[in-house]
Amino acid sequence: MNMISPIHSDDTPRAGVRGRFRRLPLWQRAGVVALPVALVAAGTGIAFKDAPAAPAAPPAPVVTVASPLVREVNEWDDYVGRFEASRAVEVRPRVAGAITGVHFTDGAVVRKGQLLFTIDPRPFTAALAEARAGLASAESDLALARADLGRAERLVAVDAVSRSDLERLQARVRAANAAVAAGQARVRSRALDVEFTRVLAPISGRISDRRVDPGNLVAAGEGQGGSLLTTINALDPIYFTFDGSEALFLKTRRAQEAGGAASPVEIRLQDEAEYKWKGRLDFTDNGLDPRSGTIRGRAVLSNPGLFLTPGMFGNMRLSAGGTTRALMVPDAAIQTDQARKLVLTVGPDGTVAPKPVELGPVLDGLRIIRSGLTPQDKVVIAGSQMAMPGAKVQPKPGRIAPVAAADAPVVTAPVTGEATFAR
């Protein structure tokens, strides 16, 4: 009986499994091997199915950019002042007496030489008659003295009159001539007194009300010594006076030294929206006020209708250098970094970069940029709240255009002066 060793027997479980595995086709053997691998992978997936996924990077924000608007503008400096008469006269009498007539309407426009008041002329007419009589007496004495001198000059040739008598007669003639001259001066003085009883308007302009009614006595005198009858203000042309700071004064003087033309001014009244009154700067004071650091200036304006009245307030703008080429961006694009003003720009690679700028006035919702930008810069005009300096953005092209005054946004940055588009 043959004894078969268990080690070499194909009927043992180990040998049977191995042998049957070797006899399987190749594709079945691959499936048998892959099954444990799949089970391991499935187990791994079950183990990690609750783990959070890594977050994806957010897309770059979209902002609207545009190049600064380039326009020709006129810049103005703003002032507040009041109108004053180009000439003002206090009408006072030059002779004392009683007012007998008033010949104007209170508040009317009068012309130079127009009769305003009449003072009782009778005392002065009598004084004039007396002066004329004195002149006639002096002229009679002169005629007699000349006749006596003529006779003496004929007799002195035959030694009928002494030399001393002749000289005495010559002195008498000279005294008579002086008396006649004094009499003539007295007559002219009394004639002026009579003329001064008719108080005439010394200038053309608008007259105030009468301060003295007929029947009252008025006193003559120099300065405040005479009674005030009324006042007259010359209104065409009219002055506009204002105080300017030292910085604005220096700015104007620099422009003048650079060859700038005479500075035009435009003025609007308190109830006007536009600057309709035109004039020119004609005077600046000879020194600054050491207490306030300001200097007094004056503009002159035509006022043919006499509408402008002394004492009225107005807002004046003075040309700050004529027409200039300016870069303009929306005022909403201006940002503040402590004491600096900034605008955000986007570079070619989409990186946001802040640029400090010097601001000018606002015109139709657009802020004039005096320095800090170039016409090629791409300024963020919308979406600036999502644009951080140094970050990447997706620029979208936009356009900068003036906005009507009624639709213009509220100005947030300080306004420096004023500007208008050049015509």
Side-chain angles (χ1 to χ4, degrees):
M1 179 173 164
N2 295 330
M3 299 298 293
I4 300 174
S5 173
I7 300 177
H8 299 287
S9 174
D10 292 335
D11 294 334
T12 62
R14 181 176 180 182
V17 173
R18 184 177 300 172
R20 285 192 298 270
F21 179 77
R22 289 175 179 168
R23 289 195 296 267
L24 289 175
L26 181 61
W27 63 272
Q28 290 181 349
R29 281 185 276 173
V32 172
V33 174
L35 180 60
V37 176
L39 292 176
V40 173
T44 304
I46 293 172
F48 292 95
K49 67 178 181 179
D50 295 331
V62 178
V63 297
T64 304
V65 299
S67 297
L69 180 66
V70 181
R71 293 288 295 271
E72 296 287 336
V73 300
N74 293 321
E75 288 200 45
W76 307 82
D77 293 324
D78 292 330
Y79 301 87
V80 176
R82 67 169 65 227
F83 291 94
E84 292 183 358
S86 55
R87 296 179 65 191
V89 174
E90 293 182 340
V91 180
R92 299 178 186 271
R94 302 184 69 173
V95 293
I99 297 293
T100 58
V102 178
H103 308 283
F104 67 91
T105 302
D106 294 348
V109 176
V110 298
R111 301 298 176 188
K112 182 178 181 179
Q114 179 177 331
L115 178 63
L116 303 179
F117 295 90
T118 300
I119 298 174
D120 187 1
R122 292 174 297 176
F124 305 101
T125 303
L128 175 60
E130 180 183 2
R132 286 173 175 168
L135 174 61
S137 176
E139 289 175 341
S140 176
D141 291 342
L142 174 61
L144 178 59
R146 285 176 175 173
D148 291 342
L149 178 60
R151 286 191 295 269
E153 288 176 343
R154 290 191 298 270
L155 294 175
V156 75
V158 295
D159 295 330
V161 175
S162 66
R163 197 71 182 174
S164 61
D165 291 338
L166 179 63
E167 292 175 352
R168 190 179 300 107
L169 292 173
Q170 291 173 343
R172 181 182 171 188
V173 169
R174 290 192 295 270
N177 277 325
V180 169
Q184 291 172 342
R186 193 174 299 109
V187 168
R188 289 194 297 269
S189 177
R190 299 295 181 263
L192 283 176
D193 289 343
V194 174
E195 183 180 341
F196 291 154
T197 61
R198 292 168 48 87
V199 180
L200 308 180
I203 62 172
S204 298
R206 190 178 298 280
I207 196 168
S208 181
D209 61 336
R210 62 183 182 274
R211 308 295 173 85
V212 178
D213 292 320
N216 287 286
L217 291 173
V218 294
E222 297 181 357
Q224 302 296 323
S227 301
L228 179 63
L229 302 180
T230 187
T231 60
I232 302 176
N233 288 330
L235 304 181
D236 187 23
I238 193 169
Y239 290 151
F240 183 84
T241 60
F242 60 94
D243 291 327
S245 66
E246 182 177 354
L248 293 177
F249 171 71
L250 290 174
K251 181 179 178 181
T252 303
R253 291 300 301 268
R254 300 293 185 195
Q256 292 175 350
E257 291 181 354
S263 300
V265 301
E266 297 181 357
I267 299 174
R268 66 176 177 87
L269 304 181
Q270 299 300 308
D271 63 341
E272 295 175 340
E274 297 183 356
Y275 293 82
K276 59 178 293 186
W277 304 97
K278 315 295 183 183
R280 59 180 177 82
L281 185 68
D282 77 325
F283 165 78
T284 54
D285 210 347
N286 58 359
L288 279 77
D289 187 339
R291 295 169 297 179
S292 63
T294 60
I295 189 168
R296 185 168 61 93
R298 186 182 72 196
V300 59
L301 298 85
S302 296
N303 187 28
L306 306 184
F307 180 82
L308 299 176
T309 303
M312 294 172 60
F313 280 93
N315 295 85
M316 185 192 80
R317 61 186 189 186
L318 174 65
S319 177
T323 302
T324 58
R325 194 173 184 84
L327 302 181
M328 311 176 73
V329 301
D331 189 60
I334 306 299
Q335 299 192 6
T336 302
D337 179 16
Q338 294 182 354
R340 299 187 306 169
K341 299 299 179 182
L342 307 172
V343 296
L344 299 180
T345 61
V346 178
D349 59 349
T351 303
V352 178
K355 285 195 172 184
V357 292
E358 180 185 354
L359 303 182
V362 174
L363 175 58
D364 289 350
L366 301 181
R367 175 72 70 169
I368 294 177
I369 305 299
R370 291 200 173 106
S371 64
L373 281 182
T374 66
Q376 293 75 31
D377 286 329
K378 300 298 182 182
V379 179
V380 177
I381 61 175
S384 58
Q385 65 275 11
M386 298 181 295
M388 301 299 293
K392 297 284 187 178
V393 295
Q394 300 181 43
K396 181 178 68 173
R399 179 173 174 269
I400 297 177
V403 182
D407 302 327
V410 177
V411 175
T412 56
V415 177
T416 305
E418 193 172 347
T420 56
F421 288 117
R423 298 179 176 87

